[in-house]
Amino acid sequence: MLSVEDNQTLTRVGAGTPMGALLRRFWFPALLASEVAEPDGKPARVRLLGEDLVAFRDTEGRVGLLDEHCPHRRASLALGLNQHSGLRCLYHGWKFGVDGRCQDAPTESAGAKFCARIRTKAYPTREAGGVIWTYMGPPELQPAFPEFQWLSMPGTHAVPFKILEDCNYAQAVEGTIDSAHAGVLHKSVPWDTPGRLTHERDLVPKLEVEYTRYGLRYGAVRKFDDDRAHVRITQVVLPFYTFIPPDGAGPRKDRRLINCFVPRDDISTWHIQWFFDETQPIDVKHRIDEGGHWLDENFRKLRNIDNWYLQDREAMKTQEYAGIRGVVTQDHAVSETQGPILDRTQEHLGTSDVAIVAWRRLLLKAARALAEKGEVPPALDATLPWPTVRADTKIYPRTRTWKEEVPLSEGVTLARAPTS
Amino acid sequence: MLSVEDNQTLTRVGAGTPMGALLRRFWFPALLASEVAEPDGKPARVRLLGEDLVAFRDTEGRVGLLDEHCPHRRASLALGLNQHSGLRCLYHGWKFGVDGRCQDAPTESAGAKFCARIRTKAYPTREAGGVIWTYMGPPELQPAFPEFQWLSMPGTHAVPFKILEDCNYAQAVEGTIDSAHAGVLHKSVPWDTPGRLTHERDLVPKLEVEYTRYGLRYGAVRKFDDDRAHVRITQVVLPFYTFIPPDGAGPRKDRRLINCFVPRDDISTWHIQWFFDETQPIDVKHRIDEGGHWLDENFRKLRNIDNWYLQDREAMKTQEYAGIRGVVTQDHAVSETQGPILDRTQEHLGTSDVAIVAWRRLLLKAARALAEKGEVPPALDATLPWPTVRADTKIYPRTRTWKEEVPLSEGVTLARAPTS
Amino acid sequence: MLSVEDNQTLTRVGAGTPMGALLRRFWFPALLASEVAEPDGKPARVRLLGEDLVAFRDTEGRVGLLDEHCPHRRASLALGLNQHSGLRCLYHGWKFGVDGRCQDAPTESAGAKFCARIRTKAYPTREAGGVIWTYMGPPELQPAFPEFQWLSMPGTHAVPFKILEDCNYAQAVEGTIDSAHAGVLHKSVPWDTPGRLTHERDLVPKLEVEYTRYGLRYGAVRKFDDDRAHVRITQVVLPFYTFIPPDGAGPRKDRRLINCFVPRDDISTWHIQWFFDETQPIDVKHRIDEGGHWLDENFRKLRNIDNWYLQDREAMKTQEYAGIRGVVTQDHAVSETQGPILDRTQEHLGTSDVAIVAWRRLLLKAARALAEKGEVPPALDATLPWPTVRADTKIYPRTRTWKEEVPLSEGVTLARAPTS
């Protein structure tokens, strides 16, 4: 439960807001590289943090991310001609490079001299992990790029996905910092059937949170057998990443999942995912059981709130608990039906929500520290050993603790819990 | 014509408004019983007075009406599993009974002790006349259930219908306290053709209003022949019922109609109707001449404002006045095109509107008396003889008055006219 | 670039706004005559300056333009019966003539005496050039009707069109006071191909503005050859007309185009066009190259912002610059993607925008002069020689000026430039 004020601070991401200012200090995913696959290809409209932008790949393969509207008379550059190392507005032919500089203004007699004065909003981009990343903050404060483990892996072993989620980013994040829901919502058999996986057998894991310089990690500990415990360690990386641990068993025992929730605006979110596996290629078709063609051309789910997720009441009785096809759609169903912006003043939290509470406090504290004292969050520290930060699943003797068994990466120090 | 202020008071029904508070003191229809026909069946989303609720019938056949959102993290309980005497949230499996009590919270280790502290918003329900009724006011002030005549009749002789009306409830009510429009809007022949029914032959009935403890009744008196008069007596029962008199002749001479207009929110209304006949079963197929399949699965008319009611201009010249199929659709057409909330500051009322004016005054007075003095409207009096309150049509000697011919039910006393 | 305040004044057209008051002082097009083609035919709903109206042609062929809502209880008169020289409301049968007078109120016993007191809002109309015109200002201030040249021509030689434009009227107007864009946006070959027409060969015309009593005219002067210059003179007539010059060569060398942008409300516009040719009939089918069936029954483009104008990226490489079929759709695409109301605080204007700047200043000045000093704009002067005001294209010796070659019409005097 949050106050009206805290909920507002947590969820509003516009340019003038404390959280908007915090998020703009990070590099984050802007769109899939495949959306602007071809040099001189079709530009893509992209909405990020409430700003309307256009992405395009120029003749040299560089990706530009500009204000969607031409600085001249504000027509959409997404209609523009992408050619000869720049994007040309359909209206008067003004042309812009990936750096936002005006290269040509054919309707102006002053020519190059005129162009030199014109520059449109352009955010830097970087391509990694099949995704175009951007930084939307003050140019002079651009941080180091986060060299996450999966970003250096071959495209066969680390595959990105993008799904539109019709709600605020914060409740989307929270849905994945929630080990407890996995054994309920994603239960692959009817409710009355005993579960198959460890986390279905024991719905009440013990949650232990450990604050770090980049955010937090928490272990969901369950009894495995009389001698051993089972832990799933989720990494929660500021501002909006969750690193989900692998199953630890079965055919995809080393496959890990990364979730990233980039605010499209206050009421919609780009859910970016990567699956990665160091031991074998990702089976894209198998992927998650979303059932084939499940997204439209705008990345919206075909099973969505308008058709009530095509929930199948018969299946709930005989086949699976939720009656909704696909793990992602299941997650989005509960998040989206919380409303466009979850009213956290009406919640009743339990002990299973301890990690959610921790993440909220961290993020609120970081936004306020920046707004009030200009403090940069430690998650932006260039010395953080990103390649070693990962989620894990482990079975270990009950005489030990999971923190001993899976120590923090070298260079990641503990942080104090934020006070609320 | 009303002032801006009066119009606002009359039409706004949210929890914090004077009219919202008044309406919440009454039992009223929430949904059709057939929407939650089966024990352990699919829950139904229901919006009432601007509140989003979920209805479900539990294993024992009891009907619950809860806050749509789970009190834990606010996912929609309408997605939930209805089983074992409760509705279980898809997200973390918390389960609620029809009384709103938490029966299970499988993700919480404290178990029953934790549940005891959790209770969600639950409104009492009652099933009568094929409809689930509810009371959304303060529990300690719950009034007696109104034992209307048709609610004790067999389902063959009293049949409910439900239609979504795309406008505020008050203009919907007013459309049925308006004997004058019947001979115009519902004229079943072109305008230039002389009418067939009494009320088509004489478009200018004399309207006489009589205020009662439950609201008002009014007689629309027309000359029948040189010796006799014809009266149609409509009962207007607070807060939003109109009892429409029978034809008094023809094959369905004793069939009566009840209209009830429950605000869905400020700009849409659940129009609940019953037809009942003490002398013969209701012919559901014949019903009203809406022409077969006329509603979609959300109770919206297939002929609606978006397709301009499929009005047929040729039919207006050769077959019927309105060119719109179906009496209900005709009524809704005029009410909906008044706008989402009728601007009563722009009206020009005539003598035919006397009953409308009376109803507005009554309702405004009741809302203000409650808000300012805590006065409970007499329509909530438990001693009111509801089974005897009914609409009538009568032919009688012109030497008599209709009030003598059809006296008020025993126990219903007259009330003074509200001063505006 | 405008201030927030100026942009607001320029774009808001509601009844209480300075621009709304100015526009209501002019006669302007309300709808196509063909929308109410038949006496006693179907009425047409018309939204103008944010007001909802209904148009109908009565038995005698007169066209009425009334408040859409019946003054009695506000049902839509667009549902009404059009018969016997008046429009009869479906609800209670009240009937109104084209003058707004109540002719019948069959539900009122006082009859004619009652009717005499009832009058609904009715705007005067006039039919000219295939269009129904109206005046929505104070009756006592009705100006002379503007006798434009093409309004007195036969229907074969002057043909009107109507298209809905999904944005504010001002940016729609500006798109046609913009000679520079023609050679870019409407380029009928790929960008890299040298243009064919004069105005494609030279993208940087010299723009010269001349203020007049009715608005302004400007010449876009280009070099034709060593001895001769080429000028296209556009007339900009207050409040929202642009007279586009003819090609001056080719099969339709004398065909002129008139654009008129009537605000539907603040965020949508009725784009009314006429093509007229004094030398030959207009070839309606050829018209402009919009490619056959291009509007729906509500005058909305089939290629619109929702389907991104069906822009064809392949065509942009091989056939034409914009990849959007049809000149009007091309113009609307750039105007509509500027947003519902163009944010003029974000513009960067160039020398090619001088006529746009001039028009804005003129209109702002006129709106303020009326609001602050009650000054009537000179464009309403009854002595203006409208039949002689027209756009022209001319080739002339470079030793002369276009103003000498094409003098102002007799009776049109110059005006001083507005100071901003």
Side-chain angles (χ1 to χ4, degrees), chain A residues 174-175 178 180-181 184-185 191-192 203-204 308-309 311 313 316 321-322 324 333-334 337-338 342 346-353 356 360, chain B residues 40-43 45 68-69 71-76 78-84 88-94 104 106-109 114 118:
Chain A
E174 290 170 0
D178 185 325
H181 88 271
V184 180
L185 178 62
W191 180 258
D192 289 336
L203 293 177
V204 193
W308 207 241
Y309 307 97
Q311 191 180 31
R313 292 265 152 197
M316 292 171 79
Y321 170 60
I324 295 172
V334 291
T337 63
Q338 290 172 329
L342 169 57
Q346 298 296 314
E347 291 178 326
H348 293 77
L349 299 183
T351 51
S352 74
D353 301 304
I356 290 172
R360 290 179 189 174
Chain B
D40 292 346
K42 185 181 174 184
R45 298 171 82 191
E68 185 193 338
H69 298 281
H72 176 208
R73 303 235 27 254
R74 312 280 297 157
S76 174
L79 286 169
L81 181 68
N82 182 12
Q83 202 184 38
H84 304 323
R88 190 181 291 281
C89 181
L90 233 52
Y91 206 168
H92 300 88
W94 292 22
D104 190 18
T107 55
E108 290 296 319
S109 53
F114 180 87
I118 305 294

Side-chain angles (χ1 to χ4, degrees), chain C residues 84-150:
Chain C
H84 304 324
S85 311
L87 187 59
R88 189 182 291 280
C89 181
L90 232 53
Y91 206 170
H92 300 89
W94 291 23
K95 187 182 160 203
F96 300 90
V98 297
D99 57 1
R101 286 182 200 274
C102 184
Q103 300 173 347
D104 190 18
T107 56
E108 291 296 320
S109 53
K113 196 175 156 194
F114 180 88
C115 288
R117 291 189 296 119
I118 305 294
R119 196 163 179 173
T120 195
K121 182 166 79 177
Y123 294 123
T125 67
R126 186 151 165 176
E127 193 163 342
V131 158
I132 308 297
W133 298 65
T134 193
Y135 166 75
M136 292 171 61
E140 69 280 12
L141 299 174
Q142 193 183 118
F145 186 81
E147 304 285 356
F148 296 125
Q149 180 191 8
W150 70 93

Side-chain angles (χ1 to χ4, degrees), chain A residues 38-54:
Chain A
E38 298 293 322
D40 293 346
K42 185 181 173 182
R45 298 171 82 192
V46 186
R47 190 166 166 84
L48 292 173
L49 304 183
E51 298 184 28
D52 289 318
L53 306 171
V54 60

Side-chain angles (χ1 to χ4, degrees), chain B residues 165-177:
Chain B
E165 192 160 357
D166 286 317
C167 64
N168 182 262
Y169 82 103
Q171 67 212 63
V173 172
E174 289 169 1
T176 60
I177 321 178

Side-chain angles (χ1 to χ4, degrees), chain C residues 83-368:
Chain C
Q83 201 185 38
H84 304 324
S85 311
L87 187 59
R88 189 182 291 280
C89 181
L90 232 53
Y91 206 170
H92 300 89
W94 291 23
K95 187 182 160 203
F96 300 90
V98 297
D99 57 1
R101 286 182 200 274
C102 184
Q103 300 173 347
D104 190 18
T107 56
E108 291 296 320
S109 53
K113 196 175 156 194
F114 180 88
C115 288
R117 291 189 296 119
I118 305 294
R119 196 163 179 173
T120 195
K121 182 166 79 177
Y123 294 123
T125 67
R126 186 151 165 176
E127 193 163 342
V131 158
I132 308 297
W133 298 65
T134 193
Y135 166 75
M136 292 171 61
E140 69 280 12
L141 299 174
Q142 193 183 118
F145 186 81
E147 304 285 356
F148 296 125
Q149 180 191 8
W150 70 93
L151 297 183
S152 63
M153 290 171 59
T156 47
H157 287 59
V159 180
F161 298 89
K162 169 172 163 175
I163 313 110
L164 177 63
E165 192 160 357
D166 286 318
C167 63
N168 182 264
Y169 83 103
Q171 66 213 62
V173 172
E174 289 169 2
T176 60
I177 320 177
D178 185 323
S179 289
H181 89 270
V184 180
L185 178 63
H186 304 313
K187 197 176 177 69
S188 54
V189 289
W191 181 258
D192 290 336
T193 317
R196 295 173 311 171
L197 301 177
T198 297
H199 62 80
E200 288 193 11
R201 281 206 300 271
D202 181 357
L203 292 177
V204 192
K206 192 176 166 206
L207 286 190
E208 292 177 350
V209 172
E210 197 168 53
Y211 292 95
T212 70
R213 285 165 67 210
Y214 55 73
L216 60 90
R217 66 173 195 166
Y218 69 90
V221 182
R222 293 173 171 89
K223 180 182 168 185
F224 187 75
D225 58 25
D226 283 350
D227 299 324
R228 291 174 298 176
H230 176 280
V231 67
R232 289 169 56 83
I233 305 168
T234 299
Q235 299 276 5
V236 182
V237 174
L238 290 190
F240 38 47
Y241 299 87
T242 55
F243 296 9
I244 307 299
D247 285 350
R252 287 178 300 278
K253 70 184 173 56
D254 294 316
R255 196 185 67 174
R256 286 171 166 81
L257 169 63
I258 304 298
N259 286 300
C260 171
F261 298 93
V262 182
R264 186 175 173 274
D265 47 32
D266 286 353
I267 57 168
S268 62
T269 300
W270 294 119
H271 182 183
I272 309 288
Q273 293 191 314
W274 285 268
F275 280 99
F276 73 95
D277 193 322
E278 295 164 286
T279 63
Q280 58 180 341
I282 299 297
D283 177 357
V284 178
K285 281 200 186 129
H286 191 267
R287 216 223 118 169
I288 35 176
D289 54 339
E290 304 293 344
H293 179 55
W294 66 295
L295 297 177
D296 72 13
E297 68 277 15
N298 298 314
F299 302 97
R300 191 167 193 239
K301 299 176 298 295
L302 299 184
R303 291 181 282 279
N304 54 52
I305 197 168
D306 293 334
N307 57 27
W308 208 240
Y309 307 97
L310 299 181
Q311 191 181 30
D312 180 347
R313 292 265 152 196
E314 279 312 303
M316 291 171 78
K317 289 179 187 160
T318 58
Q319 291 164 262
E320 58 177 2
Y321 170 60
I324 294 172
R325 192 159 187 183
V327 170
V328 170
T329 304
Q330 289 166 2
D331 278 331
H332 286 208
V334 293
S335 295
E336 291 171 349
T337 63
Q338 289 172 330
I341 299 179
L342 168 56
D343 181 358
R344 289 175 180 76
T345 68
Q346 299 297 314
E347 291 178 326
H348 293 76
L349 300 183
T351 52
S352 74
D353 300 304
V354 59
I356 289 172
V357 172
W359 174 75
R360 289 178 189 174
R361 281 187 187 155
L362 264 189
L363 208 60
L364 283 171
K365 185 189 166 194
R368 291 196 174 118

